[in-house]
Amino acid sequence: MYNLSSFAATYEWNLGDGTITNDENPQHYYTEPGFFDISLIATSVNNCKDTFRIVSAVEALAQGSIKIPNAFTPNPGGPNGGLVIAGNLDNDVFHPIIYGAETYELNIFNKWGELLFVSKDINIGWDGYYRDKLVQQDVYVYKIQVTFVDGNSETFVGDITLIR
């Protein structure tokens, strides 16, 4: 949202989905599809208020996206269960970045086609371990099946390089 208020000291945005923010120029990502009304109450230092509202100002679409890395460096200190913490920039777990997924499955195979890892939890990736032992540096194959919130189902197959 871009705020055109003049002489306002405080702001109260209602973004139509239950989100209220006091940012001057907020950014917001809607998690549900639909049309949303936006309102702003701008208040001056003298407590004079002005309200502005736009009906159906935003149309949020149901869609999804995926980004898949091509290499990772697992932690040699032992398996961590593959837990992915949002915002963590460590590269010790292979996991795609997915938005808008309803169902998800990640499979990891070695070059002989042996299944090494399966996850159906978007927050659990492969930590590079198989049977509690760090696998060797090599190229592995992933297969990701995902159904997005818009009903679109896709399968992604590719390779991931494990670097130690």
Side-chain angles (χ1 to χ4, degrees):
M1 282 26 92
Y2 186 71
N3 184 352
L4 297 175
S5 301
S6 298
F7 310 111
T10 63
Y11 310 91
E12 182 179 303
W13 291 88
N14 182 329
L15 303 179
D17 65 348
T19 301
I20 304 224
T21 180
N22 298 105
D23 294 343
E24 184 175 354
N25 296 298
Q27 287 187 352
H28 183 63
Y29 297 97
Y30 291 85
T31 58
E32 297 292 326
F35 288 90
F36 298 93
D37 301 344
I38 304 291
S39 66
L40 168 63
I41 300 172
T43 306
S44 73
V45 293
N46 296 321
N47 206 28
C48 293
K49 296 183 182 213
D50 192 12
T51 302
F52 183 73
R53 182 171 187 233
I54 301 175
V55 176
S56 296
V58 173
E59 179 185 10
L61 303 174
Q63 60 185 26
S65 67
I66 185 169
K67 293 180 183 177
I68 304 169
N70 61 6
F72 78 115
T73 54
N75 183 345
N80 70 357
L83 180 63
V84 177
I85 299 170
N88 186 341
L89 299 178
D90 291 343
N91 190 33
D92 57 356
V93 175
F94 169 71
H95 65 94
I97 300 170
I98 300 177
Y99 298 101
E102 282 190 344
T103 64
Y104 160 84
E105 184 173 323
L106 167 66
N107 294 286
I108 303 291
F109 302 89
N110 65 18
K111 60 186 168 188
W112 297 284
E114 180 182 11
L115 181 63
L116 304 179
F117 178 80
V118 177
S119 175
K120 293 184 179 185
D121 183 338
I122 199 167
N123 297 309
I124 302 292
W126 183 43
D127 61 7
Y129 284 77
Y130 178 63
R131 296 185 178 165
D132 293 325
K133 292 188 181 186
L134 182 58
V135 298
Q136 67 184 14
Q137 179 171 302
D138 208 339
V139 175
Y140 296 84
V141 175
Y142 65 79
K143 179 179 178 183
I144 300 169
Q145 295 173 299
V146 62
T147 301
F148 295 106
V149 293
D150 63 359
N152 185 25
S153 292
E154 294 189 51
T155 299
F156 302 89
V157 177
D159 55 71
I160 180 75
T161 302
L162 184 145
I163 303 167
R164 324 185 348 181

